[in-house]
Amino acid sequence: MKKWIISGIVLFTLQSIQAQELSSSPYSGYGIGEPLFDNNTEQGGMAGISTLNANPYGQSANFYNPAANAALRMVNFNVSLRGDNTQFKFSDKKENAGTAYISNLSLAFPLSAKSQAGFGYQPYTTTGYNVLKIDSTSQNPINAQNKANGGINTVHAFYNRNITPELSVGIRAGFLFGDQEKNEIISVDGASLLTDHDTNVSYSGYQFALGTVYNKKLNNDYRLNVGATYTLGSKIKAQYTNLITTYTYNGSSMINLDTISFRHDKEAKAQLPHQVSLAAAFGKDLKWNIAAEAKYTGWSQFENPVYDENQSYLSQVAHKDSYRLALGGYFIPNFNSYKSYFDRVIYRAGVYYEKGGFYINQHQINRYGATLGFGLPVGKTNDGSMLNIALEYGKRGSTDYNLIQENYLGFRVGFDFNDIWFRKRVID
């Protein structure tokens, strides 16, 4: 029965992916978009700590660190959804926008007592906004209407090997693909002429990551976990078309006057940065756990010829190395309780701070926030199937220096179905 439920969810999910709107943030327009490939709902409840497994039973897939799947003993199917509501503040103005999308679809399983594997889909980056910028420093104010949509997706697979009962290593391989569209219309007050700048990019390429986890059981069921990952920087194809035209209006009709520039490049490539993460956790088995994580991303390596020559004159952007710090944990009152369901619930919480990967007008765009999560057991008590919920409140940017401040509230829900699919029959 569970297999039929999973099959139905997969078909519905694949149809829904086509119409997703993943972002409304103006900051998603820089680089290759706003990064999304980070964590599942469990990890989202613990401030996004993803270098180590956030499931106390080990029965969920971790695609960020493939070596964090050493304890996986059942087939795990996951489908996750995310929604965000964001308030944008600019000077004395406020706007609100919301998004909702499928954030993960994956299947993971044990290959043997010492190895595990899995494959899945996630959004990798997203671009989506509709912003009017006004430069009033000149005698005639200059208006720039900016719109964008699209993003990059990833289909990926991992393999993990338990070298010893305490040490595991893993590798993840992903194929990145997707399209990004941007449009900027520039006009001057009092003038009838407008400039239209259209950019369409198609991305594709591969990305690889390595991971390791050391898991040491101490006295009295205490446990120490240490993990690390390294995501290799990679070049991906960035085929693009760049068109700049000028036009005017005759009543309500647009009249194309001239093509200023046209460029089409099938051989362009974008350089993605490398990323390193380190994490450590200490806790008591099936009771509590506290973890800390640091991530570093070399965004100063980022190169994208599509936009290097065509930055809007209204904003000066520079990519810089970034880092992210997070602290989180979970607590289970009594995992084996038969009297109270809520004693078996996993309660998660965390806080994080992120130094952004780009500067705008010579100021770095940082973010910070707090999370709260719940792991609700479902189905059989011995298979670890779970409904996970995570809430996140955060802030990014500032209203200073002619920038935009975002206050956002995020909601995630993830379904983990666990079962033994490939067990040999003892009696036919």
Side-chain angles (χ1 to χ4, degrees):
M1 181 65 180
K2 187 177 291 187
K3 296 179 184 178
W4 288 107
I5 295 174
I6 292 173
S7 299
I9 293 175
V10 170
L11 292 175
F12 172 78
T13 302
L14 292 176
Q15 292 177 345
S16 302
I17 285 173
Q18 302 298 323
Q20 296 198 102
E21 184 160 343
L22 284 66
S23 177
S24 57
S25 171
Y27 294 126
S28 69
Y30 301 106
I32 55 172
E34 182 175 353
L36 295 178
F37 180 75
D38 194 337
N39 49 67
N40 59 31
T41 306
E42 294 174 313
Q43 296 155 351
M46 285 177 53
I49 294 175
S50 47
T51 308
L52 298 171
N53 203 315
N55 187 307
Y57 308 106
Q59 301 310 306
S60 67
N62 185 323
F63 280 83
Y64 182 79
N65 185 355
N69 298 285
L72 189 66
R73 294 292 177 266
M74 296 183 180
V75 174
N76 171 263
F77 172 79
N78 177 272
V79 58
S80 298
L81 303 95
R82 174 166 182 165
D84 294 281
N85 186 273
T86 306
Q87 180 188 74
F88 303 96
K89 297 175 66 176
F90 179 78
S91 185
D92 59 344
K93 300 178 181 179
K94 296 181 181 180
E95 295 287 343
N96 290 279
T99 58
Y101 59 92
I102 295 167
S103 57
N104 184 70
L105 182 66
S106 65
L107 183 70
F109 41 86
L111 295 175
S112 67
K114 292 185 177 182
S115 61
Q116 300 80 25
F119 56 89
Y121 157 87
Q122 282 190 29
Y124 185 75
T125 69
T126 179
T127 301
Y129 57 85
N130 187 347
V131 177
L132 174 64
K133 299 179 181 179
I134 301 176
D135 182 1
S136 56
T137 57
S138 60
Q139 184 177 359
N140 296 317
I142 302 173
N143 304 318
Q145 182 73 48
N146 289 270
K147 298 179 182 179
N149 62 78
I152 301 176
N153 302 301
T154 172
V155 289
H156 42 254
F158 78 81
Y159 174 78
N160 173 72
R161 182 73 179 180
N162 302 336
I163 305 301
T164 71
E166 297 174 344
L167 179 66
S168 60
V169 296
I171 183 172
R172 183 188 77 242
F175 177 70
L176 307 178
F177 65 97
D179 300 315
Q180 190 180 58
E181 300 177 359
K182 293 185 179 182
N183 172 259
E184 183 177 54
I185 299 176
I186 300 174
S187 62
V188 179
D189 280 5
S192 60
L193 192 68
L194 295 89
T195 301
D196 191 328
H197 185 177
D198 280 301
T199 303
N200 296 281
V201 196
S202 179
Y203 293 100
S204 62
Y206 295 93
Q207 185 185 63
F208 299 92
L210 306 172
T212 184
V213 169
Y214 177 74
N215 183 354
K216 178 67 174 179
K217 188 172 183 179
L218 308 174
N219 294 333
N220 300 318
D221 291 331
Y222 289 101
R223 188 174 296 275
L224 173 67
N225 281 278
V226 180
T229 69
Y230 179 68
T231 302
L232 283 69
S234 57
K235 281 187 177 291
I236 62 173
K237 291 183 179 180
Q239 303 179 49
Y240 71 93
T241 299
N242 204 313
L243 174 65
I244 302 177
T245 60
T246 59
Y247 62 89
T248 188
Y249 278 101
N250 182 10
S252 59
S253 300
M254 183 178 71
I255 302 175
N256 189 8
L257 295 182
D258 194 16
T259 297
I260 297 176
S261 173
F262 175 80
R263 184 175 180 181
H264 179 64
D265 193 338
K266 294 183 178 181
E267 306 300 327
K269 293 183 181 293
Q271 175 66 53
L272 301 186
H274 69 274
Q275 186 177 75
V276 178
S277 75
L278 297 171
F282 179 76
K284 191 170 186 178
D285 284 350
L286 303 177
K287 189 64 178 180
W288 59 269
N289 186 277
I290 186 168
E293 180 185 70
K295 288 182 180 178
Y296 165 83
T297 308
W299 278 110
S300 60
Q301 301 176 338
F302 175 74
E303 296 177 2
N304 192 346
V306 180
Y307 302 115
D308 287 346
E309 302 174 0
N310 300 292
Q311 290 290 351
S312 168
Y313 67 92
L314 291 181
S315 61
Q316 299 300 318
V317 180
H319 290 276
K320 302 290 184 180
D321 294 346
S322 68
Y323 65 80
R324 186 181 192 275
L325 303 174
L327 180 68
Y330 65 75
F331 172 71
I332 310 173
N334 184 356
F335 81 98
N336 203 28
S337 175
Y338 293 98
K339 295 182 179 180
S340 173
Y341 174 82
F342 294 101
D343 281 348
R344 293 188 283 119
V345 171
I346 305 171
Y347 299 90
R348 302 183 176 98
V351 293
Y352 64 87
Y353 171 79
E354 181 177 338
K355 195 171 183 65
F358 52 85
Y359 283 74
I360 301 177
N361 300 335
Q362 299 181 347
H363 294 279
Q364 198 157 14
I365 308 300
N366 303 323
R367 74 164 80 199
Y368 58 87
T371 64
L372 187 66
F374 307 92
L376 308 175
V378 296
K380 300 177 182 179
T381 58
N382 61 347
D383 67 11
S385 294
M386 196 163 291
L387 168 64
N388 291 290
I389 297 172
L391 303 173
E392 177 181 359
Y393 177 77
K395 175 182 174 181
R396 175 164 65 169
S398 168
T399 56
D400 298 332
Y401 313 110
N402 202 33
L403 297 173
I404 296 174
Q405 177 181 306
E406 299 178 355
N407 298 313
Y408 54 91
L409 179 64
F411 175 80
R412 304 185 189 195
V413 57
F415 301 89
D416 273 304
F417 298 95
N418 297 309
D419 205 349
I420 300 175
W421 287 7
F422 308 114
R423 179 173 52 191
K424 293 182 179 180
R425 293 186 180 184
V426 177
I427 301 175
D428 290 331

